[in-house]
PDB file of all heavy atoms in Angstrom:
ATOM      1  N   HIS T   8      58.543  97.634 202.178  1.00 97.00           N
ATOM      2  CA  HIS T   8      58.378  96.648 201.115  1.00 97.00           C
ATOM      3  C   HIS T   8      57.698  95.363 201.566  1.00 97.00           C
ATOM      4  O   HIS T   8      57.264  94.564 200.733  1.00 97.00           O
ATOM      5  CB  HIS T   8      59.736  96.296 200.510  1.00 97.00           C
ATOM      6  CG  HIS T   8      60.463  97.499 200.006  1.00 97.00           C
ATOM      7  ND1 HIS T   8      61.443  98.125 200.738  1.00 97.00           N
ATOM      8  CD2 HIS T   8      60.325  98.209 198.868  1.00 97.00           C
ATOM      9  CE1 HIS T   8      61.896  99.158 200.067  1.00 97.00           C
ATOM     10  NE2 HIS T   8      61.234  99.246 198.928  1.00 97.00           N
ATOM     11  N   ILE T   9      57.641  95.159 202.866  1.00 97.00           N
ATOM     12  CA  ILE T   9      57.020  93.947 203.426  1.00 97.00           C
ATOM     13  C   ILE T   9      56.255  94.318 204.685  1.00 97.00           C
ATOM     14  O   ILE T   9      56.397  95.418 205.219  1.00 97.00           O
ATOM     15  CB  ILE T   9      58.073  92.853 203.762  1.00 97.00           C
ATOM     16  CG1 ILE T   9      59.160  93.373 204.745  1.00 97.00           C
ATOM     17  CG2 ILE T   9      58.750  92.338 202.506  1.00 97.00           C
ATOM     18  CD1 ILE T   9      59.051  92.840 206.106  1.00 97.00           C
ATOM     19  N   TYR T  10      55.460  93.372 205.145  1.00 97.00           N
ATOM     20  CA  TYR T  10      54.853  93.507 206.463  1.00 97.00           C
ATOM     21  C   TYR T  10      54.843  92.147 207.131  1.00 97.00           C
ATOM     22  O   TYR T  10      54.965  91.108 206.478  1.00 97.00           O
ATOM     23  CB  TYR T  10      53.443  94.121 206.393  1.00 97.00           C
ATOM     24  CG  TYR T  10      52.398  93.290 205.685  1.00 97.00           C
ATOM     25  CD1 TYR T  10      51.602  92.384 206.391  1.00 97.00           C
ATOM     26  CD2 TYR T  10      52.185  93.424 204.313  1.00 97.00           C
ATOM     27  CE1 TYR T  10      50.631  91.632 205.739  1.00 97.00           C
ATOM     28  CE2 TYR T  10      51.219  92.682 203.665  1.00 97.00           C
ATOM     29  CZ  TYR T  10      50.445  91.779 204.383  1.00 97.00           C
ATOM     30  OH  TYR T  10      49.493  91.029 203.738  1.00 97.00           O
ATOM     31  N   LEU T  11      54.748  92.155 208.446  1.00 97.00           N
ATOM     32  CA  LEU T  11      54.699  90.942 209.246  1.00 97.00           C
ATOM     33  C   LEU T  11      53.279  90.801 209.780  1.00 97.00           C
ATOM     34  O   LEU T  11      52.687  91.777 210.238  1.00 97.00           O
ATOM     35  CB  LEU T  11      55.682  91.018 210.417  1.00 97.00           C
ATOM     36  CG  LEU T  11      57.129  91.405 210.083  1.00 97.00           C
ATOM     37  CD1 LEU T  11      57.960  91.484 211.362  1.00 97.00           C
ATOM     38  CD2 LEU T  11      57.738  90.442 209.092  1.00 97.00           C
ATOM     39  N   ARG T  12      52.773  89.585 209.721  1.00 96.00           N
ATOM     40  CA  ARG T  12      51.424  89.350 210.234  1.00 96.00           C
ATOM     41  C   ARG T  12      51.373  88.028 210.989  1.00 96.00           C
ATOM     42  O   ARG T  12      52.251  87.168 210.840  1.00 96.00           O
ATOM     43  CB  ARG T  12      50.400  89.354 209.106  1.00 96.00           C
ATOM     44  CG  ARG T  12      50.563  88.220 208.122  1.00 96.00           C
ATOM     45  CD  ARG T  12      49.297  88.031 207.285  1.00 96.00           C
ATOM     46  NE  ARG T  12      49.483  87.063 206.239  1.00 96.00           N
ATOM     47  CZ  ARG T  12      49.438  85.736 206.403  1.00 96.00           C
ATOM     48  NH1 ARG T  12      49.239  85.207 207.594  1.00 96.00           N
ATOM     49  NH2 ARG T  12      49.599  84.923 205.363  1.00 96.00           N
ATOM     50  N   ALA T  13      50.329  87.880 211.771  1.00 94.00           N
ATOM     51  CA  ALA T  13      50.116  86.642 212.515  1.00 94.00           C
ATOM     52  C   ALA T  13      49.797  85.496 211.555  1.00 94.00           C
ATOM     53  O   ALA T  13      49.357  85.711 210.421  1.00 94.00           O
ATOM     54  CB  ALA T  13      48.972  86.834 213.510  1.00 94.00           C
ATOM     55  N   LEU T  14      50.025  84.288 212.037  1.00 94.00           N
ATOM     56  CA  LEU T  14      49.674  83.098 211.266  1.00 94.00           C
ATOM     57  C   LEU T  14      48.163  82.991 211.107  1.00 94.00           C
ATOM     58  O   LEU T  14      47.405  83.357 212.016  1.00 94.00           O
ATOM     59  CB  LEU T  14      50.187  81.847 211.984  1.00 94.00           C
ATOM     60  CG  LEU T  14      51.696  81.684 212.084  1.00 94.00           C
ATOM     61  CD1 LEU T  14      52.036  80.564 213.052  1.00 94.00           C
ATOM     62  CD2 LEU T  14      52.302  81.415 210.723  1.00 94.00           C
ATOM     63  N   GLU T  15      47.750  82.484 209.971  1.00 93.00           N
ATOM     64  CA  GLU T  15      46.338  82.259 209.674  1.00 93.00           C
ATOM     65  C   GLU T  15      46.146  80.799 209.257  1.00 93.00           C
ATOM     66  O   GLU T  15      47.097  80.173 208.771  1.00 93.00           O
ATOM     67  CB  GLU T  15      45.884  83.171 208.519  1.00 93.00           C
ATOM     68  CG  GLU T  15      45.974  84.653 208.801  1.00 93.00           C
ATOM     69  CD  GLU T  15      44.924  85.146 209.787  1.00 93.00           C
ATOM     70  OE1 GLU T  15      44.001  84.380 210.113  1.00 93.00           O
ATOM     71  OE2 GLU T  15      45.039  86.302 210.223  1.00 93.00           O
ATOM     72  N   PRO T  16      44.935  80.261 209.406  1.00 92.00           N
ATOM     73  CA  PRO T  16      44.684  78.883 208.951  1.00 92.00           C
ATOM     74  C   PRO T  16      45.045  78.669 207.475  1.00 92.00           C
ATOM     75  O   PRO T  16      45.479  77.585 207.085  1.00 92.00           O
ATOM     76  CB  PRO T  16      43.183  78.691 209.186  1.00 92.00           C
ATOM     77  CG  PRO T  16      42.845  79.650 210.278  1.00 92.00           C
ATOM     78  CD  PRO T  16      43.754  80.832 210.070  1.00 92.00           C
TER      79      PRO T  16
END
Side-chain angles (χ1 to χ4, degrees):
H8 304 98
I9 57 107
Y10 65 91
L11 309 178
R12 65 163 173 80
L14 294 169
E15 298 288 350

